[in-house]
Amino acid sequence: MRTENRFMCNRRKEWSVATVGFRRDRNCSSVDIAVENSVLYRRILSGIVVVPEFPVSEFFFRDLGQVEELLQRYLRAILPLKRRDRPTFTDYGVFDYADVLDDYAVEYTGAGDETMIEELRSMFTNAVNWDCVGTLYNVHPNLSLHAQVASFVSSFANPNLGQDVSSGQFAATERSLVRIMSELAGWATDGRGIFTFGGKATSLYGVKLALDRHQPDLRRRGLVGRPVVLSTDVGHPCHVEVCNWLGIGEDNCDRLPTTAGVLDPEVLAAALRAHYRSGATPVCIVATGCSTNSHSVDRFAEIADVAGAVAAEFGAVRPWLHVDAVIGWVYLLLARYDFVGNPLDIPEQVATILHNKYRMMADVKFADSFGIDFHKTGFAGYNSSLFLTRHPEILHSIEGGYVESDPMRFSDYSPYLYSLELSRSAHGPVSAWAALRSLGFEGFTRILADQTAGYLRLKQLLGADSRFQVLNRTEESNLVLVTLLPPDLEQVDADTPPDAVARVRALNEQFHRFVIAQHAESASPVFFSISRGYDFDGLQLAPVKLYSFNSHFDRAAAEANYAAIVDLVHRFGRDSAGVGYFNWIEFMQLKDTRGRAAQ
């Protein structure tokens, strides 16, 4: 019986195909092996120059030169797309997934280097360039070069941080960061923690430990009664989602109202009493450690005191206090800065803002746990999140009896015995360690000072321009919410007629469509979103949302971005007619994550 087989010929890293006829060996289960061992096959090769099998070894590590050559080829093909003055790697536009999925299909025959590089390069289509200071989109910083490179290089060991016996001292990066951040939080001896897959997971760990403290036999019996989690109206939507994932139920996440983004302890006390009287069990309070929009910080010490006092009234276990500090953790790094001596000559207004943020975040020591996203404000790659608690005995008993030896020696560290993930990448810890180690406390202090000076300058410029109204002028966050005003309006407030409000909203939505249309032609140096859900005096104005945690963002960058926005406004007034509608927000179904507030 005759058949055909396809062989690949390696000529300068490019693959060509030869078709060869052969006779099947009935006694061999592998056709390729039978062909290799056949006399007929050897005779065929005597007249044809061909490699008899797919050279699989070419795709795995052999030596340093092989890696350097391939890496250089990838970088030369892709990095020219990354320009500091361009917010996206390519022109920005809509594509249908059905049209591109075949581009990344996995076929029977493997692809050569050039195909691999070309296809990876195409994946950068529509990708946002976070190194551009004009990228003003959400809490998403650029990456430290050391974080990127260290993370990539660590993959050559392919460590699984479930245990240290196979991952070596990569596990020490995790333990070192746990120790450093615990000390900064005021938990020098008690702090323990674990890296996990994102900010949502840090809140999941916090609520899980709260449940375990209130119900020690939870692992065997499951949930008993009606546990309740208390969050706030400025808390992240994941607080509600975690209640779903843990079986508590979204309706049992009570989203309490805040004043200026901060939870009033008296509001908390009233809510706790109401839940106890209804027969529910408040198990966890999720406080805000720097909200996304306003950077508001709850009063952790007062919350802890109120929770303990009200629980004592009902003879109950104090609710666990978890702080969602995935943004605000970075201000703990200011603990080492001498604000009195001010050796970096930080401007007084900026220094006052930073010192206040540090002092508010330093009260995280009163919490039972908190979460950190190094990929949000730590210049580490996605994803790099750390959960910390001052109750290691509860953390380590999630799956039953894990005990850490003291002193700990190699082979003693096995967090897979209690962690949510059994397969644990070293990417998060290595990326975070590389960013913090290379920049140091001083580097982060300089960057935070520059960013703060930058957003103050941007607010100042926009606030002095009659075409704009800054809606969050008094908030001390890296976010600037600004609305474009029609020529006949000087400002918008609660007394503005509804038809005028509607015109303002329509104007901002159309302006944003215009800007996105410019990105389709690489004609805009700034990239931002609008906030349709932002509430300003009870009004939804769809303001422009300018957000930056870029390491290069400073006063000069703020002035350049202001000039770019003004130029866009001029062009918008001249060229906006007929701009097609494209806004990625409209393609997203917003989750209803209001918890009890939705009822």
Side-chain angles (χ1 to χ4, degrees), residues 89-106:
F89 282 83
T90 65
D91 293 343
Y92 201 80
V94 177
F95 63 84
D96 292 330
Y97 279 92
D99 296 335
V100 301
L101 293 184
D102 286 344
D103 295 342
Y104 309 120
V106 177

Side-chain angles (χ1 to χ4, degrees), residues 433-455:
W433 165 82
L436 268 69
R437 183 70 180 92
S438 58
L439 287 168
F441 291 99
E442 178 183 342
F444 271 88
T445 302
R446 289 181 181 275
I447 291 172
L448 290 172
D450 284 345
Q451 290 174 345
T452 303
Y455 79 71

Side-chain angles (χ1 to χ4, degrees), residues 388-429:
L388 288 173
T389 180
R390 60 185 174 96
H391 301 285
E393 72 285 355
I394 302 178
L395 175 66
H396 294 161
S397 63
I398 290 179
E399 295 286 351
Y402 176 69
V403 177
E404 290 191 344
S405 59
D406 186 18
M408 179 174 286
R409 298 175 61 85
F410 178 65
S411 79
D412 291 342
Y413 188 52
S414 300
Y416 83 96
L417 292 171
Y418 70 87
S419 62
L420 178 60
E421 308 102 315
L422 299 181
S423 301
R424 305 186 60 242
S425 170
H427 168 81

Side-chain angles (χ1 to χ4, degrees), residues 496-511:
T496 302
D499 62 327
V501 171
R503 284 194 297 117
V504 172
R505 181 181 178 92
L507 178 67
N508 282 275
E509 289 178 340
Q510 182 67 2
F511 175 59

Side-chain angles (χ1 to χ4, degrees), residues 380-392:
Y382 269 85
N383 48 26
S384 181
S385 299
L386 175 61
F387 170 77
L388 288 173
T389 180
R390 60 185 174 96
H391 301 285

Side-chain angles (χ1 to χ4, degrees), residues 19 31 176-177 186 190 224 346 355 421 455 459 535 575 596:
T19 301
V31 175
S176 175
L177 289 170
D190 297 330
V224 175
I346 299 173
H355 199 191
E421 308 102 315
Y455 79 71
K459 282 185 177 181
D535 187 295
D575 305 327
R596 287 175 57 88

